[in-house]
Amino acid sequence: KTAIVRRFLARSDVGSRGKLRTLIASQFDETWHEFVAMLRRALPTLPPEEIYWRFFLMISTLYSAMSEREWLKASSTFAALSR
């Protein structure tokens, strides 16, 4: 399974961004909006733009970590959790 995910991530970096955007939107838009709405309720003093960008950066970081699985394996936190 790992090889398939890594190939997908590699192809999504090189391939057509339009197709990837359409795929992501069709699968995750509703969840994205629900999650951001929950964050807005939990953090009412933060401007909506701030919540959006923080969430976007978190998702981007997760994407990067998943595409760099070797780094994740080397992480002491990951190593401790996988025991």
Side-chain angles (χ1 to χ4, degrees):
K1 290 182 182 180
T2 302
I4 293 169
V5 171
R6 291 183 84 177
R7 278 199 316 259
F8 171 75
L9 292 173
R11 291 195 69 182
S12 67
D13 278 342
V14 178
S16 168
R17 293 286 184 185
K19 289 179 183 177
L20 180 61
R21 249 185 238 124
T22 301
L23 173 68
I24 290 172
S26 71
Q27 299 299 311
F28 301 108
D29 254 12
E30 184 178 339
T31 304
W32 173 284
H33 291 293
E34 287 176 15
F35 198 85
V36 169
M38 286 187 274
L39 288 172
R40 288 183 70 184
R41 285 192 297 276
L43 304 164
T45 59
L46 280 180
E49 296 82 14
E50 181 77 16
I51 291 172
Y52 170 81
W53 283 111
R54 287 183 184 192
F55 184 64
F56 179 79
L57 291 171
M58 179 192 68
I59 295 297
S60 299
T61 301
L62 288 171
Y63 171 83
S64 182
M66 292 302 293
S67 64
E68 295 293 332
R69 196 156 191 278
E70 295 307 314
W71 170 85
L72 191 59
K73 282 183 185 178
S75 166
S76 58
T77 304
F78 181 76
L81 292 174
S82 63
R83 290 183 192 156

